[in-house]
Amino acid sequence: MCIRQSLDSLNRIQSPLNYTGGKFRLLPQILPLFPANIDVLVDLFCGGGNVGINTPAERIVLNDSDKNVMRIFRLFRQYPTERILEIIDGIIDRYGLSDSRTNGYAFYQCESTRGLGTYNKEGYNRLRSELNNMKRRNDRYFFMLFTLIVFAFNNQIRFNEKREFNLPVGKRDFNNNMRNKVRHFAEAIKKPHIELSSNDFRRVPFDGLSEHSLIYADPPYLITCATYNENNGWNARLEKQLLAYLDRANDRGIKFALSNVLKNGDKENTILAEWLERNPMYIRHDLNYNYSNSSYHKKDRSKHSTEVLITNFE
């Protein structure tokens, strides 16, 4: 078994992919609730990978059905880290995007509070248009996609029904903070005990999992608004199927931890609440976190959201 690393470490790795509801800032509350010794961790909806990449385990499976995300992760795994940075810098140069790390904000006649969006808009739109017109989704496509994400609004990922990336330009660029995220994440994901998978959660097998394994599930939240559950990306049917999947894991003696929201303002996840009532052996842990990066969605910021971690173990 692996020896638990210090959960108070300041060296946690933050993903360069930003998700509304991402768990990086919740790690100090989530990780202490995990078992002390994990042989296999399956991060079932890994998203940016913040939980999986920071969990001590002998083997880690980062799984997400979003193949765009997993292809970017595979680039980080395949290419030498400094080469990744060079390729991104080359795309930035080709499309005339800002490089505040080298030149500062004044060079672009911008200030940090208002950001670099005005300067980058033309080059960003050209990059986005060329990406959306590409026929082949090869390595070049995914390097361009990641560069778009870096310069996009809130560093997020969103495609329309035509599979076109459609976020507007954001305020920031490939600054030192983002470069360091890429560098550290790319080095971490190259470690041989980390595996990448792009399966639908219903097709992730229990084979190879034991009583010392942990399935961590952070699905799209049924009662919140975010880019990952637009266009009916998550619904009541899938919510019920996920809960049934976790019940089957429990029946096999496999540990699970489920992140979810029971209440969000006036909305309640009745499916989740009723599942908890039917399974009193499952344990609810209330978490405390305000998603500052998603506050622009809310008309009334005072409305309370009840975020929980549900486990089938003490």
Side-chain angles (χ1 to χ4, degrees):
M1 294 293 178
C2 66
I3 298 175
R4 191 177 188 79
Q5 298 171 359
S6 172
L7 296 176
D8 296 323
S9 171
L10 297 178
N11 296 321
R12 292 194 183 99
I13 298 160
Q14 186 170 4
S15 173
L17 297 181
N18 186 31
Y19 275 76
T20 302
K23 294 298 181 288
F24 181 75
R25 289 175 60 186
L26 269 176
L27 290 177
Q29 295 180 61
I30 290 176
L31 294 186
L33 297 173
F34 282 4
N37 296 295
I38 302 171
D39 59 0
V40 182
L41 172 78
V42 178
D43 195 345
L44 200 60
F45 303 83
C46 74
N50 282 306
V51 172
I53 209 81
N54 286 287
T55 300
E58 293 179 2
R59 175 175 160 235
I60 296 169
V61 180
L62 298 179
N63 179 77
D64 202 289
S65 61
D66 187 333
K67 291 180 170 51
N68 293 306
V69 170
M70 301 316 295
R71 282 291 299 270
I72 290 172
F73 284 177
R74 287 188 172 93
L75 289 184
F76 288 169
R77 190 180 183 91
Q78 174 186 351
Y79 283 76
T81 301
E82 293 308 311
R83 180 58 183 152
I84 294 170
L85 300 176
E86 289 174 3
I87 292 172
I88 296 169
D89 285 337
I91 295 170
I92 290 169
D93 183 64
R94 176 180 174 184
Y95 289 90
L97 299 169
S98 65
D99 179 10
S100 63
R101 179 182 66 97
T102 302
N103 300 318
Y105 278 77
F107 181 85
Y108 303 105
Q109 299 180 337
C110 297
E111 54 172 319
S112 61
T113 53
R114 297 185 64 183
L116 295 153
T118 300
Y119 178 86
N120 284 323
K121 184 176 181 179
E122 181 179 350
Y124 175 90
N125 288 344
R126 185 162 58 93
L127 172 58
R128 186 179 64 186
S129 176
E130 291 191 17
L131 177 99
N132 287 334
N133 287 322
M134 290 179 70
K135 303 301 182 185
R136 294 182 60 199
R137 297 204 164 193
N138 51 18
D139 287 0
R140 178 170 171 265
Y141 173 92
F142 287 100
F143 274 118
M144 290 171 65
L145 173 59
F146 179 73
T147 307
L148 267 179
I149 293 168
V150 169
F151 284 81
F153 175 68
N154 222 26
N155 303 126
Q156 294 195 352
I157 307 169
R158 187 178 72 194
F159 289 84
N160 61 23
E161 293 180 353
K162 297 179 181 179
R163 299 179 69 196
E164 296 172 334
F165 188 87
N166 65 348
L167 280 173
V169 68
K171 295 171 60 176
R172 303 290 177 237
D173 64 5
F174 199 42
N175 54 32
N176 276 325
N177 184 45
M178 181 59 81
R179 293 177 77 90
N180 286 332
K181 287 181 185 179
V182 171
R183 182 177 281 112
H184 296 149
F185 191 87
E187 287 301 305
I189 210 168
K190 289 178 174 63
K191 294 179 179 177
H193 73 294
I194 295 179
E195 302 173 16
L196 302 178
S197 167
S198 54
N199 288 319
D200 180 292
F201 75 89
R202 293 164 291 191
R203 296 179 178 173
V204 175
F206 298 127
D207 299 346
L209 302 185
S210 72
E211 62 182 12
H212 302 296
S213 303
L214 175 66
I215 297 172
Y216 173 68
D218 183 23
Y221 292 167
L222 190 62
I223 57 173
T224 65
C225 177
T227 56
Y228 52 62
N229 58 5
E230 292 176 342
N231 301 318
N232 200 36
W234 191 258
N235 53 40
R237 178 179 60 87
L238 290 169
E239 186 89 355
K240 292 175 181 178
Q241 289 176 345
L242 171 61
L243 300 181
Y245 176 92
L246 296 177
D247 284 336
R248 291 195 298 274
N250 181 70
D251 291 342
R252 289 171 174 253
I254 300 168
K255 297 180 179 69
F256 71 73
L258 168 67
S259 285
N260 216 311
V261 168
L262 274 168
K263 291 184 179 180
N264 184 41
D266 298 330
K267 298 179 180 178
E268 181 181 5
N269 188 334
T270 56
I271 295 171
L272 184 63
E274 291 170 1
W275 179 68
L276 277 173
E277 287 182 9
R278 291 195 306 271
N279 296 280
M281 65 285 199
Y282 296 162
I283 302 167
R284 165 183 161 179
H285 310 268
D286 285 11
L287 305 177
N288 179 23
Y289 183 38
N290 174 33
Y291 290 123
S292 59
N293 69 340
S294 61
S295 60
Y296 58 85
H297 286 300
K298 298 181 180 178
K299 294 181 179 179
D300 182 1
R301 297 187 186 185
S302 66
K303 288 187 176 181
H304 181 64
S305 178
T306 305
E307 177 120 11
V308 296
L309 186 77
I310 299 167
T311 64
N312 65 341
F313 58 88
E314 292 285 350

